Amino acid sequence: MNNINIYLVRHGQTYFNLYERFQGWSDIELTKKGVADGHRSGHLLANIKFDAAYSSDLSRAVKTAEYILSENPHTTIKTPTTLPEFREQFFGSFEGTDTVAAIKKITQANHLTDIESFSELLTKQGVDNALNALKAADPYHDAENAAQFWTRIDAGFDFLRQAHPNGATILLVSHGSTIRSIAGHFGKKEYEGIAPENGSITKLTLTPDDVKVIFYSQTEQLPEA
């Protein structure tokens, strides 16, 4: 049985997080709080020896992983290996736009009159329908739909399964929508409507044919699991 432990961390706060803009594949710098988020996560994970460390290839995830690793005396790895498969959801032409204004356009285009926020869109429609609604509303149709998103996420998990032996412990730094989608899809559906905090830690167990969510979006103390 090839069970791999993954500590899945959301990157620290960025300027687009602060300004409440859709970020996606846009490569935005961390704020001072974002740097502190990374170090805080590192302190929480300081007693865990990682056999490997990965991050999305976007700089906010790479830097957060480096801050986490700098706090860990048990791990000699200092820089993560980048995995584009665990990038944030791609928002197409909505990248960089104000979240409230973008959601208004998305809901109007899809005739969803009772939804006013991204979390509400995910809660009421579910991740897959929300992804498809974003693509349908994007005038360029560049935003990822559900099939595109899950194809690359599944490819990322398949890589980790093939690259690591039973019992391996991995650090993986990714993004808010990606993490909540994974947690909702493989864990509790209600996670889809709860954004993980910047620098929060979610634990997964990767099995040969499944992903199990052990805990979600922890920032103060890690549960014993």
Side-chain angles (χ1 to χ4, degrees), residues 27-223:
D27 209 3
I28 308 302
E29 290 295 313
L30 297 173
T31 63
K32 288 183 179 180
K33 178 185 179 301
V35 174
D37 290 335
H39 285 289
R40 184 195 69 222
S41 301
H43 284 297
L44 287 174
L45 295 168
N47 292 324
I48 295 172
K49 184 180 187 303
F50 293 111
D51 299 300
Y54 296 95
S55 75
S56 152
D57 60 337
L58 298 173
S59 65
R60 59 191 184 270
V62 174
K63 289 179 180 178
T64 299
E66 290 174 347
Y67 297 140
I68 293 170
L69 292 168
S70 73
E71 301 289 349
N72 194 305
H74 305 290
T75 301
T76 58
I77 306 163
K78 298 303 177 186
T79 301
T81 300
T82 56
L83 289 179
E85 292 84 353
F86 290 103
R87 273 189 177 197
E88 180 60 294
Q89 172 186 342
F90 183 45
F91 295 105
S93 65
F94 294 110
E95 294 270 326
T97 59
D98 176 81
T99 304
V100 174
I103 287 297
K104 186 174 181 179
K105 291 181 180 179
I106 292 162
T107 54
Q108 287 178 344
N110 290 275
H111 308 291
L112 302 170
T113 57
D114 61 338
I115 292 173
E116 297 181 355
S117 69
F118 188 52
S119 289
E120 198 172 354
L121 176 65
L122 291 166
T123 300
K124 292 185 176 180
Q125 293 294 313
V127 165
D128 288 2
N129 287 334
L131 284 161
N132 293 337
L134 272 158
K135 190 175 187 72
D138 179 5
Y140 296 90
H141 300 296
D142 286 332
E144 284 184 300
N145 62 18
Q148 292 168 318
F149 176 79
W150 288 115
T151 294
R152 67 175 173 87
I153 296 298
D154 289 341
F157 283 132
D158 285 343
F159 168 82
L160 295 177
R161 287 184 179 99
Q162 295 166 14
H164 296 285
N166 178 44
T169 299
I170 294 170
L171 171 68
L172 174 59
V173 180
S174 187
H175 305 265
S177 291
T178 295
I179 293 170
R180 74 203 291 183
S181 297
I182 289 169
H185 183 77
F186 294 104
K188 297 179 181 179
K189 186 171 176 57
E190 55 262 37
Y191 290 153
E192 295 178 346
I194 305 170
E197 293 187 40
N198 289 110
S200 65
I201 301 165
T202 295
K203 185 178 181 181
L204 309 175
T205 297
L206 189 61
T207 71
D209 56 6
D210 197 10
V211 179
K212 299 184 183 300
V213 180
I214 309 303
F215 57 74
Y216 181 66
S217 188
Q218 300 297 308
T219 59
E220 299 298 331
Q221 184 175 358
L222 300 187

Side-chain angles (χ1 to χ4, degrees), residues 3-21:
N3 291 340
I4 299 167
N5 296 308
I6 300 176
Y7 288 88
L8 178 61
V9 183
R10 185 185 179 190
H11 62 78
Q13 184 194 65
T14 69
Y15 285 98
F16 272 13
N17 293 147
L18 180 62
Y19 304 152
E20 297 186 352
R21 294 181 175 273

